[in-house]
PDB file of all heavy atoms in Angstrom:
ATOM      1  N   ILE M   1    -108.011  14.039 -17.010  1.00 78.00           N
ATOM      2  CA  ILE M   1    -107.469  15.104 -16.169  1.00 78.00           C
ATOM      3  C   ILE M   1    -108.314  15.106 -14.905  1.00 78.00           C
ATOM      4  O   ILE M   1    -109.515  15.337 -14.958  1.00 78.00           O
ATOM      5  CB  ILE M   1    -107.529  16.466 -16.867  1.00 78.00           C
ATOM      6  CG1 ILE M   1    -106.651  16.434 -18.130  1.00 78.00           C
ATOM      7  CG2 ILE M   1    -107.081  17.577 -15.925  1.00 78.00           C
ATOM      8  CD1 ILE M   1    -106.757  17.684 -18.966  1.00 78.00           C
ATOM      9  N   THR M   2    -107.684  14.826 -13.785  1.00 78.00           N
ATOM     10  CA  THR M   2    -108.418  14.603 -12.537  1.00 78.00           C
ATOM     11  C   THR M   2    -108.124  15.697 -11.526  1.00 78.00           C
ATOM     12  O   THR M   2    -106.969  16.091 -11.336  1.00 78.00           O
ATOM     13  CB  THR M   2    -108.019  13.248 -11.922  1.00 78.00           C
ATOM     14  OG1 THR M   2    -108.183  12.224 -12.907  1.00 78.00           O
ATOM     15  CG2 THR M   2    -108.900  12.929 -10.713  1.00 78.00           C
ATOM     16  N   ARG M   3    -109.183  16.194 -10.897  1.00 79.00           N
ATOM     17  CA  ARG M   3    -109.027  17.172  -9.819  1.00 79.00           C
ATOM     18  C   ARG M   3    -108.676  16.441  -8.530  1.00 79.00           C
ATOM     19  O   ARG M   3    -109.287  15.431  -8.186  1.00 79.00           O
ATOM     20  CB  ARG M   3    -110.317  17.964  -9.610  1.00 79.00           C
ATOM     21  CG  ARG M   3    -110.740  18.784 -10.786  1.00 79.00           C
ATOM     22  CD  ARG M   3    -112.132  19.336 -10.612  1.00 79.00           C
ATOM     23  NE  ARG M   3    -112.200  20.453  -9.686  1.00 79.00           N
ATOM     24  CZ  ARG M   3    -112.946  20.487  -8.595  1.00 79.00           C
ATOM     25  NH1 ARG M   3    -113.665  19.443  -8.247  1.00 79.00           N
ATOM     26  NH2 ARG M   3    -112.982  21.573  -7.830  1.00 79.00           N
ATOM     27  N   GLN M   4    -107.720  16.987  -7.805  1.00 81.00           N
ATOM     28  CA  GLN M   4    -107.330  16.412  -6.527  1.00 81.00           C
ATOM     29  C   GLN M   4    -108.114  17.125  -5.425  1.00 81.00           C
ATOM     30  O   GLN M   4    -107.757  18.219  -5.008  1.00 81.00           O
ATOM     31  CB  GLN M   4    -105.827  16.560  -6.319  1.00 81.00           C
ATOM     32  CG  GLN M   4    -104.997  15.965  -7.430  1.00 81.00           C
ATOM     33  CD  GLN M   4    -105.272  14.489  -7.618  1.00 81.00           C
ATOM     34  OE1 GLN M   4    -105.244  13.691  -6.668  1.00 81.00           O
ATOM     35  NE2 GLN M   4    -105.570  14.087  -8.847  1.00 81.00           N
ATOM     36  N   VAL M   5    -109.195  16.501  -5.001  1.00 79.00           N
ATOM     37  CA  VAL M   5    -110.121  17.140  -4.060  1.00 79.00           C
ATOM     38  C   VAL M   5    -110.301  16.257  -2.831  1.00 79.00           C
ATOM     39  O   VAL M   5    -110.492  15.047  -2.950  1.00 79.00           O
ATOM     40  CB  VAL M   5    -111.496  17.388  -4.725  1.00 79.00           C
ATOM     41  CG1 VAL M   5    -112.461  17.999  -3.728  1.00 79.00           C
ATOM     42  CG2 VAL M   5    -111.341  18.292  -5.935  1.00 79.00           C
ATOM     43  N   ASP M   6    -110.233  16.897  -1.659  1.00 78.00           N
ATOM     44  CA  ASP M   6    -110.556  16.219  -0.406  1.00 78.00           C
ATOM     45  C   ASP M   6    -112.033  16.501  -0.116  1.00 78.00           C
ATOM     46  O   ASP M   6    -112.394  17.558   0.397  1.00 78.00           O
ATOM     47  CB  ASP M   6    -109.677  16.742   0.731  1.00 78.00           C
ATOM     48  CG  ASP M   6    -109.822  15.927   2.014  1.00 78.00           C
ATOM     49  OD1 ASP M   6    -110.927  15.418   2.258  1.00 78.00           O
ATOM     50  OD2 ASP M   6    -108.830  15.821   2.766  1.00 78.00           O
ATOM     51  N   VAL M   7    -112.887  15.566  -0.498  1.00 79.00           N
ATOM     52  CA  VAL M   7    -114.336  15.769  -0.378  1.00 79.00           C
ATOM     53  C   VAL M   7    -114.744  15.990   1.070  1.00 79.00           C
ATOM     54  O   VAL M   7    -115.544  16.882   1.385  1.00 79.00           O
ATOM     55  CB  VAL M   7    -115.095  14.567  -0.974  1.00 79.00           C
ATOM     56  CG1 VAL M   7    -116.605  14.736  -0.777  1.00 79.00           C
ATOM     57  CG2 VAL M   7    -114.778  14.419  -2.457  1.00 79.00           C
ATOM     58  N   TRP M   8    -114.187  15.202   1.981  1.00 84.00           N
ATOM     59  CA  TRP M   8    -114.553  15.327   3.402  1.00 84.00           C
ATOM     60  C   TRP M   8    -114.177  16.705   3.928  1.00 84.00           C
ATOM     61  O   TRP M   8    -114.965  17.344   4.632  1.00 84.00           O
ATOM     62  CB  TRP M   8    -113.844  14.254   4.223  1.00 84.00           C
ATOM     63  CG  TRP M   8    -114.204  14.322   5.672  1.00 84.00           C
ATOM     64  CD1 TRP M   8    -115.243  13.717   6.310  1.00 84.00           C
ATOM     65  CD2 TRP M   8    -113.507  15.089   6.685  1.00 84.00           C
ATOM     66  NE1 TRP M   8    -115.261  14.045   7.642  1.00 84.00           N
ATOM     67  CE2 TRP M   8    -114.208  14.882   7.912  1.00 84.00           C
ATOM     68  CE3 TRP M   8    -112.394  15.914   6.685  1.00 84.00           C
ATOM     69  CZ2 TRP M   8    -113.801  15.478   9.101  1.00 84.00           C
ATOM     70  CZ3 TRP M   8    -111.998  16.512   7.873  1.00 84.00           C
ATOM     71  CH2 TRP M   8    -112.701  16.287   9.058  1.00 84.00           C
ATOM     72  N   LEU M   9    -112.967  17.165   3.564  1.00 80.00           N
ATOM     73  CA  LEU M   9    -112.511  18.475   4.045  1.00 80.00           C
ATOM     74  C   LEU M   9    -113.385  19.593   3.481  1.00 80.00           C
ATOM     75  O   LEU M   9    -113.770  20.522   4.207  1.00 80.00           O
ATOM     76  CB  LEU M   9    -111.050  18.701   3.642  1.00 80.00           C
ATOM     77  CG  LEU M   9    -110.430  20.043   4.056  1.00 80.00           C
ATOM     78  CD1 LEU M   9    -110.470  20.203   5.569  1.00 80.00           C
ATOM     79  CD2 LEU M   9    -109.002  20.156   3.530  1.00 80.00           C
ATOM     80  N   ASN M  10    -113.718  19.514   2.189  1.00 80.00           N
ATOM     81  CA  ASN M  10    -114.577  20.531   1.585  1.00 80.00           C
ATOM     82  C   ASN M  10    -115.949  20.572   2.245  1.00 80.00           C
ATOM     83  O   ASN M  10    -116.497  21.653   2.514  1.00 80.00           O
ATOM     84  CB  ASN M  10    -114.737  20.268   0.088  1.00 80.00           C
ATOM     85  CG  ASN M  10    -113.522  20.708  -0.716  1.00 80.00           C
ATOM     86  OD1 ASN M  10    -112.627  21.345  -0.183  1.00 80.00           O
ATOM     87  ND2 ASN M  10    -113.493  20.364  -1.981  1.00 80.00           N
ATOM     88  N   ASP M  11    -116.512  19.390   2.507  1.00 82.00           N
ATOM     89  CA  ASP M  11    -117.821  19.336   3.165  1.00 82.00           C
ATOM     90  C   ASP M  11    -117.749  19.950   4.563  1.00 82.00           C
ATOM     91  O   ASP M  11    -118.657  20.676   4.992  1.00 82.00           O
ATOM     92  CB  ASP M  11    -118.314  17.889   3.257  1.00 82.00           C
ATOM     93  CG  ASP M  11    -118.735  17.332   1.900  1.00 82.00           C
ATOM     94  OD1 ASP M  11    -118.909  18.135   0.966  1.00 82.00           O
ATOM     95  OD2 ASP M  11    -118.887  16.096   1.776  1.00 82.00           O
ATOM     96  N   ALA M  12    -116.659  19.647   5.280  1.00 85.00           N
ATOM     97  CA  ALA M  12    -116.496  20.184   6.637  1.00 85.00           C
ATOM     98  C   ALA M  12    -116.355  21.701   6.610  1.00 85.00           C
ATOM     99  O   ALA M  12    -116.931  22.406   7.444  1.00 85.00           O
ATOM    100  CB  ALA M  12    -115.278  19.548   7.303  1.00 85.00           C
ATOM    101  N   ILE M  13    -115.610  22.222   5.634  1.00 82.00           N
ATOM    102  CA  ILE M  13    -115.417  23.667   5.518  1.00 82.00           C
ATOM    103  C   ILE M  13    -116.739  24.355   5.211  1.00 82.00           C
ATOM    104  O   ILE M  13    -117.070  25.390   5.805  1.00 82.00           O
ATOM    105  CB  ILE M  13    -114.376  23.993   4.432  1.00 82.00           C
ATOM    106  CG1 ILE M  13    -112.980  23.555   4.889  1.00 82.00           C
ATOM    107  CG2 ILE M  13    -114.384  25.479   4.097  1.00 82.00           C
ATOM    108  CD1 ILE M  13    -111.910  23.689   3.836  1.00 82.00           C
ATOM    109  N   ARG M  14    -117.520  23.785   4.304  1.00 82.00           N
ATOM    110  CA  ARG M  14    -118.806  24.394   3.951  1.00 82.00           C
ATOM    111  C   ARG M  14    -119.769  24.383   5.128  1.00 82.00           C
ATOM    112  O   ARG M  14    -120.461  25.372   5.390  1.00 82.00           O
ATOM    113  CB  ARG M  14    -119.414  23.651   2.758  1.00 82.00           C
ATOM    114  CG  ARG M  14    -118.682  23.891   1.446  1.00 82.00           C
ATOM    115  CD  ARG M  14    -119.105  22.905   0.385  1.00 82.00           C
ATOM    116  NE  ARG M  14    -118.316  23.066  -0.829  1.00 82.00           N
ATOM    117  CZ  ARG M  14    -118.215  22.136  -1.769  1.00 82.00           C
ATOM    118  NH1 ARG M  14    -118.874  21.000  -1.644  1.00 82.00           N
ATOM    119  NH2 ARG M  14    -117.488  22.357  -2.846  1.00 82.00           N
ATOM    120  N   ALA M  15    -119.819  23.254   5.829  1.00 85.00           N
ATOM    121  CA  ALA M  15    -120.705  23.172   6.987  1.00 85.00           C
ATOM    122  C   ALA M  15    -120.287  24.181   8.049  1.00 85.00           C
ATOM    123  O   ALA M  15    -121.127  24.852   8.662  1.00 85.00           O
ATOM    124  CB  ALA M  15    -120.691  21.757   7.560  1.00 85.00           C
ATOM    125  N   ASN M  16    -118.977  24.305   8.267  1.00 87.00           N
ATOM    126  CA  ASN M  16    -118.479  25.260   9.264  1.00 87.00           C
ATOM    127  C   ASN M  16    -118.747  26.693   8.829  1.00 87.00           C
ATOM    128  O   ASN M  16    -119.112  27.545   9.657  1.00 87.00           O
ATOM    129  CB  ASN M  16    -116.980  25.054   9.467  1.00 87.00           C
ATOM    130  CG  ASN M  16    -116.415  25.940  10.557  1.00 87.00           C
ATOM    131  OD1 ASN M  16    -116.724  25.783  11.730  1.00 87.00           O
ATOM    132  ND2 ASN M  16    -115.576  26.893  10.174  1.00 87.00           N
ATOM    133  N   THR M  17    -118.599  26.963   7.530  1.00 85.00           N
ATOM    134  CA  THR M  17    -118.876  28.310   7.007  1.00 85.00           C
ATOM    135  C   THR M  17    -120.334  28.684   7.240  1.00 85.00           C
ATOM    136  O   THR M  17    -120.645  29.803   7.664  1.00 85.00           O
ATOM    137  CB  THR M  17    -118.556  28.385   5.511  1.00 85.00           C
ATOM    138  OG1 THR M  17    -117.159  28.115   5.306  1.00 85.00           O
ATOM    139  CG2 THR M  17    -118.880  29.754   4.943  1.00 85.00           C
ATOM    140  N   SER M  18    -121.243  27.740   6.954  1.00 87.00           N
ATOM    141  CA  SER M  18    -122.671  27.993   7.165  1.00 87.00           C
ATOM    142  C   SER M  18    -122.958  28.248   8.640  1.00 87.00           C
ATOM    143  O   SER M  18    -123.713  29.162   8.993  1.00 87.00           O
ATOM    144  CB  SER M  18    -123.494  26.797   6.670  1.00 87.00           C
ATOM    145  OG  SER M  18    -123.351  26.613   5.280  1.00 87.00           O
ATOM    146  N   ASP M  19    -122.336  27.444   9.509  1.00 88.00           N
ATOM    147  CA  ASP M  19    -122.569  27.587  10.943  1.00 88.00           C
ATOM    148  C   ASP M  19    -122.054  28.923  11.456  1.00 88.00           C
ATOM    149  O   ASP M  19    -122.736  29.611  12.230  1.00 88.00           O
ATOM    150  CB  ASP M  19    -121.883  26.433  11.683  1.00 88.00           C
ATOM    151  CG  ASP M  19    -122.158  26.465  13.179  1.00 88.00           C
ATOM    152  OD1 ASP M  19    -123.331  26.367  13.560  1.00 88.00           O
ATOM    153  OD2 ASP M  19    -121.193  26.593  13.959  1.00 88.00           O
ATOM    154  N   VAL M  20    -120.851  29.320  11.011  1.00 89.00           N
ATOM    155  CA  VAL M  20    -120.269  30.590  11.449  1.00 89.00           C
ATOM    156  C   VAL M  20    -121.119  31.770  10.976  1.00 89.00           C
ATOM    157  O   VAL M  20    -121.374  32.711  11.737  1.00 89.00           O
ATOM    158  CB  VAL M  20    -118.821  30.733  10.933  1.00 89.00           C
ATOM    159  CG1 VAL M  20    -118.304  32.145  11.153  1.00 89.00           C
ATOM    160  CG2 VAL M  20    -117.910  29.730  11.632  1.00 89.00           C
ATOM    161  N   ALA M  21    -121.585  31.710   9.722  1.00 87.00           N
ATOM    162  CA  ALA M  21    -122.399  32.801   9.187  1.00 87.00           C
ATOM    163  C   ALA M  21    -123.711  32.927   9.956  1.00 87.00           C
ATOM    164  O   ALA M  21    -124.152  34.040  10.275  1.00 87.00           O
ATOM    165  CB  ALA M  21    -122.681  32.557   7.703  1.00 87.00           C
ATOM    166  N   ALA M  22    -124.333  31.779  10.271  1.00 87.00           N
ATOM    167  CA  ALA M  22    -125.594  31.811  11.013  1.00 87.00           C
ATOM    168  C   ALA M  22    -125.393  32.349  12.425  1.00 87.00           C
ATOM    169  O   ALA M  22    -126.186  33.161  12.919  1.00 87.00           O
ATOM    170  CB  ALA M  22    -126.197  30.412  11.064  1.00 87.00           C
ATOM    171  N   ARG M  23    -124.308  31.909  13.078  1.00 89.00           N
ATOM    172  CA  ARG M  23    -124.031  32.377  14.439  1.00 89.00           C
ATOM    173  C   ARG M  23    -123.719  33.874  14.456  1.00 89.00           C
ATOM    174  O   ARG M  23    -124.150  34.595  15.371  1.00 89.00           O
ATOM    175  CB  ARG M  23    -122.862  31.586  15.037  1.00 89.00           C
ATOM    176  CG  ARG M  23    -123.205  30.145  15.375  1.00 89.00           C
ATOM    177  CD  ARG M  23    -121.987  29.404  15.886  1.00 89.00           C
ATOM    178  NE  ARG M  23    -122.281  28.010  16.174  1.00 89.00           N
ATOM    179  CZ  ARG M  23    -122.747  27.566  17.325  1.00 89.00           C
ATOM    180  NH1 ARG M  23    -122.965  28.422  18.329  1.00 89.00           N
ATOM    181  NH2 ARG M  23    -122.985  26.285  17.511  1.00 89.00           N
ATOM    182  N   LYS M  24    -122.982  34.346  13.467  1.00 90.00           N
ATOM    183  CA  LYS M  24    -122.646  35.772  13.418  1.00 90.00           C
ATOM    184  C   LYS M  24    -123.909  36.608  13.219  1.00 90.00           C
ATOM    185  O   LYS M  24    -124.075  37.658  13.851  1.00 90.00           O
ATOM    186  CB  LYS M  24    -121.663  36.040  12.280  1.00 90.00           C
ATOM    187  CG  LYS M  24    -121.204  37.503  12.219  1.00 90.00           C
ATOM    188  CD  LYS M  24    -120.226  37.734  11.088  1.00 90.00           C
ATOM    189  CE  LYS M  24    -119.725  39.175  11.098  1.00 90.00           C
ATOM    190  NZ  LYS M  24    -120.811  40.159  11.008  1.00 90.00           N
ATOM    191  N   SER M  25    -124.787  36.141  12.335  1.00 89.00           N
ATOM    192  CA  SER M  25    -126.035  36.879  12.105  1.00 89.00           C
ATOM    193  C   SER M  25    -126.863  36.946  13.379  1.00 89.00           C
ATOM    194  O   SER M  25    -127.363  38.014  13.754  1.00 89.00           O
ATOM    195  CB  SER M  25    -126.830  36.207  10.989  1.00 89.00           C
ATOM    196  OG  SER M  25    -128.043  36.881  10.760  1.00 89.00           O
ATOM    197  N   SER M  26    -126.995  35.817  14.075  1.00 89.00           N
ATOM    198  CA  SER M  26    -127.764  35.787  15.321  1.00 89.00           C
ATOM    199  C   SER M  26    -127.128  36.680  16.380  1.00 89.00           C
ATOM    200  O   SER M  26    -127.817  37.401  17.110  1.00 89.00           O
ATOM    201  CB  SER M  26    -127.865  34.346  15.840  1.00 89.00           C
ATOM    202  OG  SER M  26    -128.557  33.521  14.922  1.00 89.00           O
ATOM    203  N   GLN M  27    -125.807  36.638  16.456  1.00 92.00           N
ATOM    204  CA  GLN M  27    -125.093  37.451  17.448  1.00 92.00           C
ATOM    205  C   GLN M  27    -125.266  38.941  17.167  1.00 92.00           C
ATOM    206  O   GLN M  27    -125.471  39.737  18.099  1.00 92.00           O
ATOM    207  CB  GLN M  27    -123.609  37.087  17.436  1.00 92.00           C
ATOM    208  CG  GLN M  27    -122.797  37.771  18.524  1.00 92.00           C
ATOM    209  CD  GLN M  27    -121.335  37.358  18.497  1.00 92.00           C
ATOM    210  OE1 GLN M  27    -120.757  37.146  17.439  1.00 92.00           O
ATOM    211  NE2 GLN M  27    -120.733  37.238  19.664  1.00 92.00           N
ATOM    212  N   ASP M  28    -125.208  39.316  15.884  1.00 91.00           N
ATOM    213  CA  ASP M  28    -125.367  40.732  15.525  1.00 91.00           C
ATOM    214  C   ASP M  28    -126.749  41.242  15.913  1.00 91.00           C
ATOM    215  O   ASP M  28    -126.883  42.351  16.460  1.00 91.00           O
ATOM    216  CB  ASP M  28    -125.143  40.916  14.025  1.00 91.00           C
ATOM    217  CG  ASP M  28    -123.681  40.752  13.626  1.00 91.00           C
ATOM    218  OD1 ASP M  28    -122.820  40.797  14.526  1.00 91.00           O
ATOM    219  OD2 ASP M  28    -123.412  40.574  12.423  1.00 91.00           O
ATOM    220  N   TYR M  29    -127.786  40.447  15.643  1.00 89.00           N
ATOM    221  CA  TYR M  29    -129.142  40.878  15.993  1.00 89.00           C
ATOM    222  C   TYR M  29    -129.342  40.892  17.509  1.00 89.00           C
ATOM    223  O   TYR M  29    -130.044  41.762  18.043  1.00 89.00           O
ATOM    224  CB  TYR M  29    -130.179  39.978  15.319  1.00 89.00           C
ATOM    225  CG  TYR M  29    -130.365  40.303  13.858  1.00 89.00           C
ATOM    226  CD1 TYR M  29    -130.050  39.381  12.880  1.00 89.00           C
ATOM    227  CD2 TYR M  29    -130.830  41.553  13.462  1.00 89.00           C
ATOM    228  CE1 TYR M  29    -130.204  39.687  11.530  1.00 89.00           C
ATOM    229  CE2 TYR M  29    -130.983  41.868  12.124  1.00 89.00           C
ATOM    230  CZ  TYR M  29    -130.667  40.931  11.157  1.00 89.00           C
ATOM    231  OH  TYR M  29    -130.815  41.251   9.836  1.00 89.00           O
ATOM    232  N   ALA M  30    -128.727  39.933  18.200  1.00 89.00           N
ATOM    233  CA  ALA M  30    -128.827  39.912  19.659  1.00 89.00           C
ATOM    234  C   ALA M  30    -128.192  41.163  20.261  1.00 89.00           C
ATOM    235  O   ALA M  30    -128.727  41.762  21.205  1.00 89.00           O
ATOM    236  CB  ALA M  30    -128.156  38.662  20.216  1.00 89.00           C
ATOM    237  N   LYS M  31    -127.051  41.572  19.697  1.00 89.00           N
ATOM    238  CA  LYS M  31    -126.388  42.785  20.178  1.00 89.00           C
ATOM    239  C   LYS M  31    -127.249  44.024  19.916  1.00 89.00           C
ATOM    240  O   LYS M  31    -127.316  44.931  20.740  1.00 89.00           O
ATOM    241  CB  LYS M  31    -125.028  42.936  19.509  1.00 89.00           C
ATOM    242  CG  LYS M  31    -123.967  41.964  20.010  1.00 89.00           C
ATOM    243  CD  LYS M  31    -122.642  42.204  19.319  1.00 89.00           C
ATOM    244  CE  LYS M  31    -121.558  41.268  19.854  1.00 89.00           C
ATOM    245  NZ  LYS M  31    -120.254  41.480  19.150  1.00 89.00           N
TER     246      LYS M  31
END
């Protein structure tokens, strides 16, 4: 039974999620 996973897409989403969270935190403190 095999999972159908796009590894590249998942990695890109996680990296983008981390980047967005870090930028939001920095922006909130800057404000």
Side-chain angles (χ1 to χ4, degrees):
I1 297 174
T2 307
R3 297 170 75 238
Q4 304 301 309
V5 178
D6 189 328
V7 177
W8 181 88
L9 179 60
N10 282 352
D11 288 345
I13 291 174
R14 289 167 185 161
N16 184 67
T17 299
S18 296
D19 184 61
V20 169
R23 289 177 182 273
K24 183 180 183 303
S25 179
S26 298
Q27 186 179 36
D28 288 344
Y29 283 116
K31 287 181 178 179

